[in-house]
Amino acid sequence: MKKFTFIIVLLAVVLAVGAQKRPKAIVKLEKQLVGKFVEIPAGHYTEVVYNDTGQVVSKKEYTFSTFYMLSSEVTNKAYGAFLDDLQAQGRTADYEVARVLKENNPTLSVSGIMTEKSPLKVDTFEYFKHPAYALYPVVEISYEGAILFCHWLNEKLGDAGFEYMLPTKAQWQYAARGGGHNWDPYPWGGPFLTNRNGYPLCNYKRVGDESITMKDSVLTVVDENELFPALHDFAFWICPAASFYPNNYGLYDMSGNVAEMVEEKGIALGGSYADPGYDVRIQSEQQYTAPSQKIGFRVIAVPKR
């Protein structure tokens, strides 16, 4: 009887340890600085690379311990707080590396505020600074700026037992699948990009059959605004972070909206609002050499050993 009681007590202790949550103070400070992190459970991931004919070129196995990932892309609000703090500390050199729009000043299309048949085009710096876009993903930043943001989180959170960084390509793809199959093309599985009612499951550019029409006896790809004037509520342009349904881990917009930088410099994953469906797959890669209005990032928190 005593032995049986000991086993029950031991089991209870093990379960309690296994269910132990992260310190509330850390979670609260994370939310104040950057947003909500969700748990990505330990598991295995097989990275499969295919050629243009669909044949497997290579396979690589990964095993991950539990880590945490920001539920949405880093927002203008969070990145703005980071830049403001750099200025307050007098870290001019770091600010120049991290600031939005170092060398150019293009416009970009933003959902939510529309003219009669098209989205409002705003100056990118206005998009970053205006409070109306505070919860939209930050764009037009450098890889070095994203790395400095991670370092800033580590400084602000102190010895919290976690290290904040960009995810590796494999970590990002593993998290994006939300516990699904390695061959799933999208965070919700797939293969379709819309639900049963025809509404998009992520923010991407529609250029499929629905965008083809007959004009002057010629098949033509038509701007989606002409075909879907009633669907302006669904973002065909950059939209607020966490606008669509999350995957099973609670991660929003792993496909579409803005592509996301990873630890491997020059690679962004998941595609953007300006990319067609094939290019917003989990395995979709974009190469970049400079800041882009189609590329943002999110961070992960890895327990320190």
Side-chain angles (χ1 to χ4, degrees), residues 48-59 183 278 281 283:
V48 182
V49 178
Y50 301 90
N51 61 20
D52 294 337
T53 63
Q55 295 176 316
V56 176
V57 176
S58 65
K59 287 185 179 181
W183 57 83
Y278 185 79
R281 293 170 301 123
Q283 287 194 312

Side-chain angles (χ1 to χ4, degrees), residues 15-301:
L15 290 175
V17 172
Q20 188 177 22
K21 294 183 178 180
R22 305 171 72 206
K24 289 184 179 180
I26 297 303
V27 173
K28 182 178 180 180
L29 189 53
E30 283 177 344
K31 287 183 178 180
Q32 291 174 345
L33 291 176
V34 65
K36 179 184 177 182
F37 282 78
V38 297
E39 180 179 326
I40 310 302
H44 304 281
Y45 171 63
T46 303
E47 182 184 61
V48 182
V49 178
Y50 301 90
N51 61 20
D52 294 337
T53 63
Q55 295 176 316
V56 176
V57 176
S58 65
K59 287 185 179 181
K60 190 171 183 179
E61 302 287 340
Y62 295 89
T63 299
F64 297 113
S65 300
T66 299
F67 62 95
Y68 298 83
M69 182 175 252
L70 191 63
S71 64
S72 67
E73 303 110 341
V74 173
T75 63
N76 287 324
K77 179 181 178 180
Y79 201 81
F82 155 61
L83 291 182
D84 289 345
D85 194 53
L86 290 183
Q87 286 187 304
Q89 295 182 52
R91 295 167 59 178
T92 305
D94 285 342
Y95 177 82
E96 286 302 313
V97 170
R99 67 189 291 258
V100 173
L101 290 179
K102 289 183 62 179
E103 298 175 352
N104 55 9
N105 196 25
T107 61
L108 76 162
S109 299
V110 182
S111 69
I113 303 176
M114 308 290 176
T115 59
E116 183 179 351
K117 293 194 66 177
S118 64
L120 176 68
K121 288 187 178 295
V122 298
D123 176 276
T124 309
F125 192 68
E126 178 187 356
Y127 163 81
F128 173 62
K129 296 294 288 185
H130 196 286
Y133 308 116
L135 298 183
Y136 282 63
V138 67
V139 295
E140 285 285 0
I141 60 167
S142 66
Y143 172 84
E144 290 77 15
I147 295 296
L148 279 172
F149 181 86
C150 295
H151 292 169
W152 177 74
L153 283 181
N154 286 319
E155 293 167 6
K156 289 298 178 182
L157 290 166
D159 188 16
F162 295 88
E163 184 176 1
Y164 298 84
M165 62 186 72
L166 291 180
T168 65
K169 177 182 167 182
Q171 283 173 319
W172 191 97
Q173 292 176 336
Y174 171 70
R177 285 192 162 81
H181 300 295
N182 283 342
W183 57 83
D184 286 342
Y186 303 108
W188 55 87
F192 302 108
L193 282 155
T194 59
N195 65 16
R196 65 181 63 186
N197 295 316
Y199 296 134
L201 293 168
C202 72
N203 186 9
Y204 71 102
K205 184 176 182 180
R206 292 189 178 190
V207 290
D209 293 345
E210 72 277 6
S211 296
I212 300 175
T213 189
M214 186 73 74
K215 274 193 172 183
D216 301 323
S217 301
V218 177
L219 287 175
T220 306
V221 176
V222 181
D223 185 274
E224 57 270 1
N225 294 327
E226 296 181 36
L227 293 175
F228 299 100
L231 291 184
H232 281 324
D233 287 342
F234 297 92
F236 295 109
W237 311 277
I238 194 168
C239 65
S243 290
F244 292 81
Y245 290 110
N247 70 3
N248 289 335
Y249 290 157
L251 298 171
Y252 295 86
D253 301 324
M254 296 298 278
S255 282
N257 206 25
V258 296
E260 299 179 13
M261 301 178 196
V262 290
E263 185 183 74
E264 292 85 346
K265 186 176 181 179
I267 296 177
L269 300 179
S272 75
Y273 65 95
D275 294 312
Y278 185 79
D279 293 327
V280 297
R281 293 170 301 123
I282 290 171
Q283 287 194 312
S284 297
E285 292 187 24
Q286 293 183 6
Q287 307 295 318
Y288 68 91
T289 57
S292 167
Q293 62 180 239
K294 297 188 294 184
I295 298 176
F297 72 105
R298 76 178 75 205
V299 298
I300 61 172

